[in-house]
């Protein structure tokens, strides 16, 4: 893990002032929420885009509250000193972490959950150092920063009476103490309006063999592993930006939106190498198109911008799989999903993800959620996912609850670039040769027409194969007859 910490943090002035006004008018004694932004290890700086309050839990209780006695300056002791303030914060860190996990799925490339904020008085904040660090650590575990493993998150304190902003680095070391917080410089400025955007439509096809002896049993486990392998391949891919080969060492100072295309190298199918010595019993084909966005810092090199959009592509695939697994778990717990009729040739539905494919002998098919883009701040977008049969209206309550903002009223601003959802097909095969053959060339289901065509082809082939044999036999007889005639003639001539 990295041991150094960011030395300065810049917050988007417009969004943080809106948050300040909201909190000041709320009348709440305390509030906890997520800090959305980005940590740049190359610039050694942190950036804050917005603050998202954690909603009440399922029981309607707030995620943060003040406990203990609060100092009252109006009540004096005999020595003229105010009473000791023993107030502290109670934080439902598991609920805050779950909120972070779901919000993390909605963030695009270059945007992450980088910490938490606390709205509370000064004394409650000072008395809750360890509690706040534990909450920050829970959030970090729910939304890991994959590209660079930072050993820190930001803790932003908005104090009142008087109103004051302070930012600290929170160390995520295993032994959290009061010394885990260190102050850093904090200021406000323009951030979001100066961030260029990258856009990519990424076509993919993962062909994953099912091995008899593999430790990966469930379809979901095989897919998670396959996506991880593909992430390593995509990481090394070269890129075209607006049709030109990108120079990753140059500073990416372009404004506006720019189209990206990735060039994957031609290589042997690594998915099959691991199974070359095992019995291959099936094939998973996961294919489709991922529409992706990433927002970069104009002061960073192009390599960071491309790394952000690559990470967004992989995160999107993982998020869809996690959503389907969550749905399968819910249905399994409630026992709402009935077992498929054994006469069906194709199994479908989220329950497929729980199957042990080594025992499965039926073809399976599954459509994953589609990605849609919702307008957010300063021409940036968030994303969410809908099932193939759903419309974007089903996201209204989900969006408002998680992001504490109104769902877009103008539907024309909502982007649905993924016309079809990524699809998964599991096919039971008989040999390694079938797995190593492109999926489009695998044996298809037989029908009467194909049988007739093959029968006609076989008959024609048989007829062709008998013609040379019959012709050769006739020649042999003809040669024999000619030989006999010639012999008789020679005998008669010699006798005379």
């Amino acid at each position: 893990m990295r041991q150094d910490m960011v030395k300065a943090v810049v917050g988007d002035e417009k969004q943080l002032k809106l948050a300040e006004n909201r909190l000041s008018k709320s009348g709440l004694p305390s509030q906890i929420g997520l800090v959305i932004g980005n940590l740049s290890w190359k610039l050694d700086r942190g950036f804050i885009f917005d603050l998202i309050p954690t909603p009440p839990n399922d029981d309607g209780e707030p995620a943060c509250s003040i406990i203990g006695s609060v100092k009252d300056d109006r009540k004096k002791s005999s020595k003229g000193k105010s009473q000791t303030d023993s107030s502290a914060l109670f934080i439902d860190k598991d609920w805050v972490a779950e909120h972070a996990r779901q919000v993390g799925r909605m963030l695009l490339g270059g945007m992450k959950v980088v910490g938490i904020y606390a709205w509370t008085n000064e004394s409650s904040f000072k008395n809750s150092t360890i509690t706040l660090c534990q909450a920050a650590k829970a959030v970090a575990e729910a939304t890991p920063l994959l590209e660079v493993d930072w050993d820190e998150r930001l803790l932003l304190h908005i104090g009142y009476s008087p109103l004051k902003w302070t930012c600290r680095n929170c160390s995520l070391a295993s032994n959290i103490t009061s010394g885990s917080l260190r102050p850093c410089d904090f200021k406000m400025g323009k951030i979001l309006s100066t961030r260029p955007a990258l856009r990519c439509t990424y076509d993919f096809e993962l062909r994953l063999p099912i091995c008899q002896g593999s430790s990966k049993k469930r379809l979901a486990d095989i897919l998670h592993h396959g996506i991880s392998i593909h992430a390593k391949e995509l990481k090394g891919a070269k890129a075209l930006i607006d049709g030109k080969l990108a120079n990753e060492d140059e500073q990416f100072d372009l404004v506006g939106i720019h189209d990206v295309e990735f060039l994957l190298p031609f290589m042997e199918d690594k998915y099959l190498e691991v199974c070359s010595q095992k019995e291959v019993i099936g094939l998973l084909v996961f294919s489709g198109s991922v529409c992706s966005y990433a927002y970069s810092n104009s002061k960073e090199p192009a390599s960071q911008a491309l790394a952000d959009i690559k990470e967004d592509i992989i995160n999107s695939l993982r998020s869809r799989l996690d959503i389907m697994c969550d749905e399968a778990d819910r249905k399994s717990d409630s026992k709402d999903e009935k077992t498929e009729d054994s006469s069906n040739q194709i199994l479908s539905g989220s329950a497929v993800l729980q199957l042990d494919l080594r025992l499965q002998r039926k073809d399976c098919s599954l459509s994953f959620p589609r990605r849609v883009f919702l307008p957010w701040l300063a021409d940036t977008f968030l994303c969410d996912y809908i099932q193939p049969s759903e419309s974007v209206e089903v996201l209204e309550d989900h969006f408002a609850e998680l992001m504490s903002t109104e769902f877009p009223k103008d539907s024309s601003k909502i982007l649905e670039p993924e016309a079809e959802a990524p699809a998964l097909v599991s096919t039971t095969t008989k040999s390694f040769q079938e797995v190593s053959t492109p999926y489009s060339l695998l044996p298809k289901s037989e029908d009467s027409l194909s049988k007739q065509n093959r029968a006609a082809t076989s008959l024609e082939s048989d007829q062709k194969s008998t013609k040379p044999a019959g012709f050769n036999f006739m020649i042999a007889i003809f040669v024999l007859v000619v030989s006999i005639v010639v012999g008789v003639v020679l005998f008669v001539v010699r006798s005379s």
Side-chain angles (χ1 to χ4, degrees):
M1 286 190 175
R2 291 176 54 86
Q3 300 299 321
D4 53 322
M5 297 184 174
V6 294
K7 297 179 175 60
V9 175
V10 182
D12 188 83
E13 185 174 16
K14 179 180 178 181
Q15 293 307 125
L16 296 192
K17 287 298 182 181
L18 288 175
E20 180 182 289
N21 293 335
R22 169 177 57 81
L23 290 168
S24 299
K25 295 178 181 179
S26 67
L28 296 173
S30 64
Q31 187 181 86
I32 196 80
L34 308 177
V35 176
I36 309 301
N38 184 262
L39 299 178
S40 173
W41 65 272
K42 294 181 180 179
L43 300 177
D44 201 20
R45 295 166 71 87
F47 301 91
I48 297 177
F49 306 149
D50 200 11
L51 308 181
I52 309 297
T54 298
N57 60 22
D58 293 336
D59 296 328
E61 299 176 352
C64 177
S65 59
I66 296 179
I67 57 177
S69 61
V70 181
K71 177 178 67 177
D72 189 345
D73 291 332
R74 293 172 299 180
K75 296 180 180 180
K76 303 289 183 177
S77 64
S78 59
K79 295 183 179 180
K81 294 182 179 181
S82 60
Q83 297 177 350
T84 302
D85 188 350
S86 61
S87 65
L89 293 175
F90 166 77
I91 300 175
D92 187 348
K93 62 178 182 296
D94 293 335
W95 184 251
V96 178
E98 176 60 23
H99 180 223
R101 187 177 74 92
Q102 296 194 38
V103 168
R105 291 175 178 173
M106 302 177 69
L107 301 177
L108 302 180
M111 294 182 171
K112 304 178 186 297
V113 179
V114 295
I116 60 174
Y117 76 87
W119 160 263
T120 187
N121 59 56
E122 187 69 23
S123 56
S124 296
F125 182 85
K126 289 181 178 179
N127 294 337
S128 308
T129 299
I130 296 178
T131 300
L132 288 163
C133 288
Q134 289 174 339
K137 184 174 182 179
V139 166
E141 292 173 348
T143 55
L145 305 181
L146 300 180
E147 186 64 26
V148 178
D149 194 6
W150 283 86
D151 190 22
E152 65 176 297
R153 291 297 185 275
L154 300 181
L155 175 55
L156 191 64
H157 176 218
I158 309 118
Y160 50 84
S161 298
L163 186 64
K164 183 180 180 181
W165 290 75
T166 56
C167 187
R168 295 171 173 85
N169 286 298
C170 179
S171 173
L172 303 181
S174 56
N175 297 323
I176 293 178
T177 65
S178 58
S180 298
L181 290 180
R182 297 182 182 179
C184 58
D185 295 334
F186 175 75
K187 64 179 181 179
M188 298 186 188
K190 293 183 179 181
I191 298 177
L192 289 171
S193 59
T194 61
R195 297 180 76 85
L198 297 180
R199 176 177 56 195
C200 176
T201 299
Y202 181 72
D203 299 325
F204 70 96
E205 180 179 86
L206 309 185
R207 298 171 57 245
L208 312 174
I210 306 167
C211 302
Q212 181 65 44
S214 174
S215 60
K216 302 293 189 298
K217 301 177 181 179
R218 298 187 313 155
L219 186 152
D221 297 331
I222 298 173
L223 277 177
H224 271 299
H225 181 63
I227 292 173
S228 296
I229 294 176
H230 191 68
K232 295 178 181 178
E233 295 181 1
L234 180 59
K235 186 175 181 179
K238 297 297 182 181
L240 301 177
I241 300 180
D242 295 331
K244 298 179 180 179
L245 186 64
N247 185 344
E248 299 189 7
D249 295 329
E250 289 184 353
Q251 184 173 315
F252 188 69
D253 56 357
L254 301 175
V255 296
I257 300 178
H258 304 275
D259 292 313
V260 174
E261 181 180 356
F262 289 110
L263 306 175
L264 286 174
F266 292 100
M267 61 177 62
E268 296 180 359
D269 200 334
K270 293 186 176 181
Y271 305 114
L272 302 179
E273 292 178 1
V274 294
C275 291
S276 59
Q277 302 299 324
K278 301 177 182 178
E279 182 182 358
V280 179
I281 59 174
L283 176 67
L284 293 182
V285 180
F286 184 33
S287 61
S289 295
V290 173
C291 293
S292 177
Y293 279 84
Y295 301 95
S296 177
N297 191 307
S298 59
K299 296 182 180 180
E300 290 185 321
S303 59
Q304 184 58 50
L306 295 173
D308 288 338
I309 200 165
K310 290 176 182 179
E311 186 176 348
D312 182 68
I313 292 170
I314 298 301
N315 282 344
S316 180
L317 292 177
R318 286 175 172 153
S319 294
R320 298 174 211 236
L321 180 55
D322 290 342
I323 290 171
M324 297 299 290
C325 288
D326 290 346
E327 180 185 359
D329 291 339
R330 286 194 300 269
K331 290 184 177 181
S332 176
D333 292 340
S334 62
K335 297 182 180 180
D336 288 338
E337 191 170 46
K338 298 181 179 179
T339 304
E340 297 282 351
D341 187 350
S342 59
S343 63
N344 289 349
Q345 296 298 318
I346 301 293
L347 295 177
S348 60
S350 57
V352 172
L353 294 172
Q354 306 294 350
L355 292 177
D356 185 341
L357 294 184
R358 299 178 307 171
L359 305 177
Q360 181 63 29
R361 291 297 178 266
K362 295 181 180 179
D363 291 351
C364 305
S365 66
L366 182 65
S367 292
F368 277 65
R370 289 189 297 118
R371 195 181 203 185
V372 297
F373 297 92
L374 308 167
W376 191 37
L377 309 173
D379 296 327
T380 64
F381 286 92
L382 296 172
C383 75
D384 212 334
Y385 299 90
I386 59 176
Q387 300 298 339
S389 60
E390 294 177 336
S391 61
V392 294
E393 284 74 18
V394 302
L395 302 176
E396 184 170 354
D397 293 338
H398 185 252
F399 183 83
E401 179 183 18
L402 290 184
M403 304 305 299
S404 294
T405 187
E406 292 186 3
F407 189 77
K409 296 181 180 180
D410 187 355
S411 59
S412 64
K413 295 182 179 180
I414 300 175
L415 306 182
E416 297 184 67
E418 295 183 0
E420 295 183 1
L424 171 74
V425 176
S426 170
T427 302
T428 301
T429 62
K430 298 179 181 180
S431 68
F432 181 83
Q433 182 179 2
E434 290 178 331
V435 174
S436 58
T437 302
Y439 179 71
S440 60
L441 302 181
L442 287 177
K444 303 297 190 297
S445 59
E446 296 184 345
D447 54 26
S448 58
L449 180 60
S450 62
K451 289 181 179 179
Q452 291 175 4
N453 289 339
R454 280 197 298 274
T457 302
S458 177
L459 178 60
E460 182 180 356
S461 177
D462 290 341
Q463 290 175 346
K464 290 180 179 180
S465 64
T466 58
K467 286 182 179 180
F471 182 74
N472 293 337
F473 180 73
M474 294 299 294
I475 292 177
I477 294 177
F478 178 77
V479 172
L480 179 60
V481 171
V482 170
S483 300
I484 294 173
V485 171
V486 171
V488 170
V489 172
L490 290 176
F491 178 79
V492 171
V493 171
R494 289 179 181 178
S495 300
S496 58

